[in-house]
Amino acid sequence: MALYDTDEEIERVILVGVELNPKDDVEMSLNELSELAKTAGAVTVGKMIQPRDYFHPATYIGKGKLDELRAYIAETDATGIICDDELSPAQLRNLEDELNTKVMDRTMVILDIFASRATTSEGKIQVEMAQLKYRSTRLSGLGTSLSRLGGGIGTRGPGEKKIETDRRLIRDRITKLSRDLDEIKSHREVQRSKRDNTSTPVAAIVGYTNAGKSTLLNKLTKANVLSEDKLFATLDPTTRELELLNKEKVLLTDTVGFIRKLPHHLIEAFRSTLEEAKYADIIVHVVDASNEDYERHMQTVYETLEELEVKDKKIITLINKVDKFEEAPVIKDVKANYCINYSNKAGIGEEEFLKALEEIIMESRVYIERTFAYSEAGKIQQIREFGQLLEEEYVQDGIKVKAYVPREIEGRL
């Protein structure tokens, strides 16, 4: 009996970018796109960049470059191309007609990675929602290519395996998913409300994808969150309690990694997740110092935070992975209140980071000196749990206390 190899064929792709501005580092962007393609299961066999004043409205790149790309595909035996920008339906259709090969864009690849990473019901709903919204606007542009989208990058999804081409079915599915997301959002708001009532400060860990956010959470809280040297290794936010050096407690929340040109549909679908940063008291910004494009990564993070309306937060920036240098790099973040050289692996900067968290938390505390009647002893427990008890003395009138407490619970004491 004959045996057949059922391994999925690895796609061979050529990356295509357009340089609109000489200041844009398109080469660096294509390097990142190559990492995205690798994460999605493809191998990059070539790159092509065309300087232009504008994207060609019909084919993204110009006619001369299109002829060159057609020859390049034949030469490298590529099975598809990935464009570094989001393509319009017309561009997608025209490129497939001209090149007779699979055409994808950066958004497709990122959505595909998110689909493969989604493990919780919330993550799956969010990804499917983003995919459907993206594809619903491109049904007319995909044309005959739908018959070729049976496997490989851009076709995976945690929801329905085969997207119906009927717009009404997609619209109905989006409506249902929107209701599901509204329920998730309500549940998340209830969780946040409970956290607010405890007065335990919350620090949201943000940063470019693969900067070391999950590793930081694991190191400090033993959270056992998946931590790999891959883009978007984790999608679902994880919150864990961290005890500081002064015995104060803070909730650390990991968030999904940011990336340049993060698809708008993903930001919308993951808004309730990403907004963990909006409702946090402190932002912990993790920067991968070993990545030569770290400055642009920092800019992308702040642009995304601005889009999410994250304002007026205390920021601690951790310049991570400094153990990779013989001499620690001098990297400044003018938007941060604290900028600390850090290494998850070598334990550099950990104590300084914990002290920075303490200082920020203490700024929101109120100092009290008060004597509580013995019948009010339960309030002392509140101080222990949510504040910092400095002195406790049992006198005739009751319990004499010196402490720092959150402003929110001062009125309840």
Side-chain angles (χ1 to χ4, degrees), residues 17-225:
V18 172
E19 183 182 79
L20 301 178
N21 188 326
K23 292 181 180 179
D24 294 338
D25 196 339
V26 181
E27 181 67 39
M28 190 74 75
S29 187
L30 286 189
N31 289 342
E32 182 178 86
L33 184 58
S34 178
E35 282 298 310
L36 286 167
K38 179 182 175 184
T39 303
V43 60
T44 299
V45 296
K47 297 176 184 176
M48 178 178 285
I49 297 173
Q50 181 180 31
R52 284 182 60 89
D53 293 332
Y54 55 91
F55 298 125
H56 194 290
T59 53
Y60 181 63
I61 54 176
K63 188 177 185 308
K65 212 65 175 175
L66 201 59
D67 294 335
E68 190 181 323
L69 179 57
R70 191 181 296 108
Y72 199 11
I73 290 170
E75 178 190 330
T76 58
D77 199 25
T79 58
I81 69 165
I82 303 177
C83 297
D84 195 35
D85 299 277
E86 191 168 304
L87 299 174
S88 70
Q91 288 170 331
L92 191 64
R93 181 181 63 246
N94 293 335
L95 279 171
E96 289 211 332
D97 288 345
E98 289 283 349
L99 301 172
N100 193 32
T101 192
K102 185 173 182 177
V103 177
M104 296 157 281
D105 61 18
R106 188 184 184 95
T107 298
M108 270 189 190
V109 177
I110 293 175
L111 285 171
D112 185 79
I113 294 169
F114 270 60
S116 67
R117 292 283 188 265
T119 54
T120 65
S121 58
E122 177 182 0
K124 290 175 182 179
I125 290 170
Q126 288 167 321
V127 172
E128 188 182 354
M129 180 83 157
Q131 285 181 319
L132 286 171
K133 284 189 172 180
Y134 172 78
R135 290 176 183 173
S136 67
T137 62
R138 283 159 175 74
L139 287 176
S140 60
L142 288 169
T144 57
S145 69
L146 277 172
S147 62
R148 293 209 295 272
L149 291 180
I153 302 175
T155 64
R156 283 177 289 213
E160 296 172 335
K161 296 298 180 185
K162 201 169 185 181
I163 300 296
E164 293 288 341
T165 58
D166 187 284
R167 289 184 184 276
R168 182 182 58 78
L169 291 177
I170 288 182
R171 201 161 50 240
D172 290 347
R173 182 69 179 159
I174 288 174
T175 300
K176 182 188 180 305
L177 291 173
S178 294
R179 285 198 298 266
D180 292 342
L181 279 181
D182 285 342
E183 286 182 20
I184 289 169
K185 185 177 180 181
S186 298
H187 178 64
R188 192 174 292 283
E189 285 171 356
V190 169
Q191 288 179 318
R192 287 187 186 126
S193 177
K194 286 180 179 176
R195 289 206 305 247
D196 290 343
N197 289 335
T198 66
S199 302
T200 304
V202 178
I205 307 171
V206 304
Y208 211 76
T209 182
N210 207 29
K213 300 183 302 301
S214 296
T215 306
L216 173 69
L217 186 70
N218 286 340
K219 177 81 162 37
L220 294 175
T221 68
K222 309 293 187 293
N224 292 324
V225 175

Side-chain angles (χ1 to χ4, degrees), residues 197-199 364-370 372 376 379 382-383 386-387 403-413:
N197 289 335
T198 66
S199 302
S364 66
R365 297 290 194 247
V366 177
Y367 177 74
I368 62 167
E369 286 188 25
R370 198 172 300 173
F372 294 93
E376 297 178 304
K379 293 182 177 179
Q382 284 191 56
I383 295 173
F386 304 122
Y404 285 103
V405 297
R407 287 191 175 89
E408 307 89 78
I409 73 164
E410 184 197 11
R412 303 204 299 261
L413 294 176

Side-chain angles (χ1 to χ4, degrees), residues 209-256:
T209 182
N210 207 29
K213 300 183 302 301
S214 296
T215 306
L216 173 69
L217 186 70
N218 286 340
K219 177 81 162 37
L220 294 175
T221 68
K222 309 293 187 293
N224 292 324
V225 175
L226 175 65
S227 175
E228 295 181 291
D229 187 19
K230 287 181 179 178
L231 303 181
F232 303 115
T234 52
L235 290 187
D236 302 301
T238 303
T239 301
R240 293 290 184 272
E241 189 176 77
L242 170 66
E243 186 172 276
L244 303 179
L245 301 172
N246 63 358
K247 304 302 179 184
E248 281 262 20
K249 291 181 174 60
V250 61
L251 295 176
L252 276 187
T253 298
D254 189 15
T255 61
V256 64

Side-chain angles (χ1 to χ4, degrees), residues 138-403:
R138 283 159 175 74
L139 287 176
S140 60
L142 288 169
T144 57
S145 69
L146 277 172
S147 62
R148 293 209 295 272
L149 291 180
I153 302 175
T155 64
R156 283 177 289 213
E160 296 172 335
K161 296 298 180 185
K162 201 169 185 181
I163 300 296
E164 293 288 341
T165 58
D166 187 284
R167 289 184 184 276
R168 182 182 58 78
L169 291 177
I170 288 182
R171 201 161 50 240
D172 290 347
R173 182 69 179 159
I174 288 174
T175 300
K176 182 188 180 305
L177 291 173
S178 294
R179 285 198 298 266
D180 292 342
L181 279 181
D182 285 342
E183 286 182 20
I184 289 169
K185 185 177 180 181
S186 298
H187 178 64
R188 192 174 292 283
E189 285 171 356
V190 169
Q191 288 179 318
R192 287 187 186 126
S193 177
K194 286 180 179 176
R195 289 206 305 247
D196 290 343
N197 289 335
T198 66
S199 302
T200 304
V202 178
I205 307 171
V206 304
Y208 211 76
T209 182
N210 207 29
K213 300 183 302 301
S214 296
T215 306
L216 173 69
L217 186 70
N218 286 340
K219 177 81 162 37
L220 294 175
T221 68
K222 309 293 187 293
N224 292 324
V225 175
L226 175 65
S227 175
E228 295 181 291
D229 187 19
K230 287 181 179 178
L231 303 181
F232 303 115
T234 52
L235 290 187
D236 302 301
T238 303
T239 301
R240 293 290 184 272
E241 189 176 77
L242 170 66
E243 186 172 276
L244 303 179
L245 301 172
N246 63 358
K247 304 302 179 184
E248 281 262 20
K249 291 181 174 60
V250 61
L251 295 176
L252 276 187
T253 298
D254 189 15
T255 61
V256 64
F258 300 161
I259 196 167
R260 75 177 87 189
K261 302 176 185 176
L262 189 64
H264 177 72
H265 296 311
L266 267 182
I267 291 179
E268 283 305 307
F270 276 78
R271 182 167 288 275
S272 67
T273 300
L274 291 167
E275 281 184 342
E276 288 291 339
K278 183 176 180 179
Y279 296 102
D281 304 291
I282 304 165
I283 301 296
V284 179
H285 178 196
V286 182
V287 178
D288 180 359
S290 67
N291 191 304
E292 56 186 303
D293 205 23
Y294 71 86
E295 288 183 338
R296 196 182 295 268
H297 290 183
M298 292 169 72
Q299 181 183 340
T300 298
V301 168
Y302 282 118
E303 285 173 355
T304 308
L305 288 175
E306 190 174 326
E307 185 171 350
L308 293 167
E309 299 178 350
V310 179
K311 301 173 184 174
D312 305 323
K313 306 286 184 185
K314 294 285 186 178
I315 299 173
I316 302 173
T317 293
L318 300 181
I319 308 301
N320 195 23
K321 306 184 185 180
V322 295
D323 57 296
K324 294 189 176 184
F325 301 87
E326 286 186 14
E327 191 173 325
V330 180
I331 299 175
K332 298 294 182 186
D333 182 359
V334 295
K335 296 189 177 182
N337 302 91
Y338 296 82
C339 197
I340 300 167
N341 281 344
Y342 199 85
S343 167
N344 281 316
K345 190 175 180 181
I348 298 169
E350 186 174 310
E351 188 172 331
E352 192 179 348
F353 170 51
L354 295 177
K355 284 182 177 176
L357 284 172
E358 283 181 11
E359 288 176 14
I360 292 174
I361 292 168
M362 290 306 294
E363 287 175 14
S364 66
R365 297 290 194 247
V366 177
Y367 177 74
I368 62 167
E369 286 188 25
R370 198 172 300 173
T371 301
F372 294 93
Y374 285 106
S375 60
E376 297 178 304
K379 293 182 177 179
I380 311 297
Q381 185 54 36
Q382 284 191 56
I383 295 173
R384 283 198 185 92
E385 190 172 354
F386 304 122
Q388 188 178 2
L389 187 61
L390 302 176
E391 288 184 24
E392 181 182 12
E393 183 183 355
Y394 289 80
V395 295
Q396 187 174 350
D397 296 338
I399 308 168
K400 193 174 181 181
V401 164
K402 292 180 182 179

